[in-house]
Amino acid sequence: MKKFFILYIILIIPHCGFSPVYKSNEINYQININKIEGDKVINSKIKSEIERISDRSKQTIFNIQIDTKYEKIIATKNSKGSITDYLLIATATFIISDNEKKETIVFQEKQNVKNNSDFVEQRNYENTVKKNFATSFVKKLNLDLLSK
């Protein structure tokens, strides 16, 4: 009986219409970046991700201005007064304009990170977090643009 149940599940699940949320085969727009300001690491990753998802052959064109801000705030200190944790906050503001209207969308990401005594390793980790923030911003932007 268990074998038939497992076989039934294996045959039914692939045909249930499931598709990943972020994988869209129907990107029906082109994105042009008119202006980009702010953090260089975040901006370069956002630009490369937008170029990757944008379809240059489509007629619908969104012109975008991007402004990013990055903050590193002391979150906690130990009893000696040494910093133990930081709060990393990245904010991306997208001003989207098409032929009809102009819209502003703001996304924000936060993450706590432990302080590392090795400066180079700490900086590399922060850059990785920044790139993850940028990827998240573009995914959110893509979902928003797909709904238009």
Side-chain angles (χ1 to χ4, degrees):
M1 187 67 174
K2 284 185 179 180
K3 290 180 183 177
F4 288 117
F5 179 72
I6 292 173
L7 181 62
Y8 179 74
I9 295 296
I10 290 173
L11 292 175
I12 296 299
I13 293 295
H15 303 290
C16 69
F18 172 78
S19 64
V21 174
Y22 290 119
K23 184 180 184 235
S24 174
N25 294 331
E26 298 186 27
I27 294 179
N28 55 358
Y29 55 83
Q30 173 179 316
I31 301 173
N32 292 331
I33 300 173
N34 293 340
K35 182 179 173 185
I36 190 163
E37 294 179 344
D39 187 81
K40 290 179 183 179
V41 174
I42 295 173
N43 288 345
S44 67
K45 185 65 175 177
I46 287 175
K47 186 176 179 181
S48 67
E49 288 290 315
I50 285 177
E51 288 171 354
R52 186 181 61 79
I53 66 168
S54 183
D55 188 352
R56 297 286 178 200
S57 65
K58 298 298 180 178
Q59 297 297 330
T60 305
I61 299 173
F62 293 107
N63 295 307
I64 295 183
Q65 296 177 9
I66 304 168
D67 184 23
T68 58
K69 291 183 177 43
Y70 174 75
E71 295 178 80
K72 181 178 176 181
I73 301 170
I74 298 171
T76 59
K77 293 183 178 184
N78 62 14
S79 59
K80 296 178 184 177
S82 300
I83 300 168
T84 58
D85 291 339
Y86 288 104
L87 176 63
L88 306 179
I89 303 171
T91 306
T93 305
F94 297 94
I95 300 172
I96 305 166
S97 59
D98 56 5
N99 296 335
E100 302 164 4
K101 61 182 177 176
K102 200 174 220 186
E103 181 181 359
T104 301
I105 301 172
V106 179
F107 300 118
Q108 186 175 52
E109 294 284 336
K110 298 178 183 180
Q111 184 171 339
N112 284 329
V113 295
K114 297 274 184 204
N115 188 20
N116 192 342
S117 59
D118 185 7
F119 175 75
V120 174
E121 190 175 317
Q122 178 78 23
R123 187 182 61 206
N124 289 339
Y125 182 68
E126 284 180 33
N127 286 338
T128 302
V129 170
K130 287 180 183 183
K131 289 176 184 176
N132 291 340
F133 286 164
T135 303
S136 174
F137 293 149
V138 173
K139 285 181 180 179
K140 290 176 184 179
L141 176 68
N142 187 28
L143 286 175
D144 192 72
L145 292 176
L146 283 172
S147 68
K148 293 182 190 277

